[in-house]
Amino acid sequence: LADYQGVTIPNNIRVIRDAIEASGYDFLKDWKKRVEVTGELSYLAYREEIEAALRTSEMSGISLLGLQDFTGQGTALVGMLNPHLQPKPYDFAKSERFKKFFNNVVLFVLLDKYTYFENECFEAEVRLANYSKKTLTLEAVYEISEDDKPYAEGILKKTACPCGKITSLGTIKFDFKQAGKAKRLELRVCTDEVVTEYPIWVYPVEEANFAKDIFFAKN
């Protein structure tokens, strides 16, 4: 509210503030956590949408309506920038995070899903969208880690990536280690030019035990 120093009156924000105060909810105790969590969700949604467009060769381009909070016809406080086009002081709004997936050269992995069972084989293709002004010859290196400890790694063959094209750099393939417990892995793929990272969740295979009067069915 204090940032509004011009002719604009932020009545929309005042209405929200007054409603919170009238409810008796102590919003100040955890408002920052709520902003960070909802902002991170917005960031992840941006990444999914933009990567989907970049890996589609028939797409002619991407156009974003805006990255700032919109306070015009209604209120949409969903931007990475505030209404005054100033960056928000949160991790989800850092420009370097956006550049990893929204740039003229973008590396991405074609993941069928983010969650796996331990008895499954992980297999995913790595591609590079090169919309720079020159052909790039790259060698991709991948590493899967668990709690910053190496889990699997490898090198994909050096590949020429023409400008204006989406090029396959190869396929990552490995079997999960049988640990008997759920774990979160971090997949990191990088070249001299770019880097990308994805979370992977792996779960043990367990047979569910039900009471005799409960029927469990699946397709």
Side-chain angles (χ1 to χ4, degrees):
L1 285 170
D3 291 336
Y4 287 84
Q5 300 293 329
V7 297
T8 301
I9 300 174
N11 280 337
N12 55 327
I13 301 179
R14 291 175 179 172
V15 168
I16 296 171
R17 178 199 60 191
D18 294 345
I20 292 173
E21 292 178 351
S23 71
Y25 174 66
D26 186 7
F27 183 71
L28 292 178
K29 69 179 181 181
D30 61 0
W31 69 268
K32 185 176 181 181
K33 181 179 179 180
R34 289 173 178 266
V35 170
E36 289 174 340
V37 170
T38 54
E40 188 68 21
L41 178 60
S42 179
Y43 165 84
L44 292 173
Y46 265 120
R47 179 179 182 176
E48 292 291 335
E49 290 283 354
I50 292 171
E51 283 197 1
L54 285 176
R55 64 174 174 258
T56 305
S57 58
E58 295 81 8
M59 292 287 287
S60 58
I62 300 171
S63 177
L64 292 181
L65 180 61
L67 278 175
Q68 77 274 24
D69 286 348
F70 183 72
T71 57
Q73 300 139 322
T75 300
L77 305 178
V78 296
M80 301 299 152
L81 308 176
N82 68 21
H84 311 286
L85 295 177
Q86 300 163 339
K88 292 180 177 178
Y90 305 105
D91 188 57
F92 66 79
K94 290 181 178 178
S95 60
E96 57 265 30
R97 295 187 70 194
F98 266 77
K99 288 179 180 178
K100 288 183 178 181
F101 65 84
F102 200 0
N103 214 328
N104 58 358
V105 179
V106 176
L107 187 66
F108 49 86
V109 182
L110 275 64
L111 294 168
D112 292 330
K113 53 188 179 180
Y114 291 106
T115 58
Y116 295 83
F117 286 112
E118 285 185 336
N119 61 354
E120 292 185 272
C121 174
F122 178 90
E123 185 172 353
E125 183 185 4
V126 179
R127 291 184 184 176
L128 185 97
N130 180 15
Y131 296 113
S132 68
K133 296 181 179 180
K134 62 180 181 180
T135 295
L136 302 172
T137 301
L138 303 171
E139 181 181 74
V141 177
Y142 68 88
E143 179 184 81
I144 297 93
S145 60
E146 180 184 4
D147 297 327
D148 295 326
K149 298 177 182 178
Y151 187 90
E153 58 187 3
I155 301 175
L156 303 179
K157 67 178 182 179
K158 187 173 290 187
T159 305
C161 305
C163 59
K165 300 289 184 179
I166 300 171
T167 304
S168 174
L169 300 183
T171 300
I172 299 172
K173 186 176 181 179
F174 67 94
D175 294 320
F176 294 107
K177 300 172 184 176
Q178 303 293 313
K181 63 177 182 178
K183 52 183 173 286
R184 181 188 189 278
L185 304 178
E186 187 77 17
L187 169 62
R188 186 175 190 269
V189 184
C190 63
T191 71
D192 291 337
E193 299 281 337
V194 286
V195 62
T196 189
E197 297 166 325
Y198 298 90
I200 300 173
W201 285 269
V202 186
Y203 296 93
V205 179
E206 296 180 354
E207 291 293 332
N209 295 316
F210 296 96
K212 293 181 179 180
D213 57 344
I214 296 178
F215 293 90
F216 174 71
K218 63 180 179 180
N219 293 332

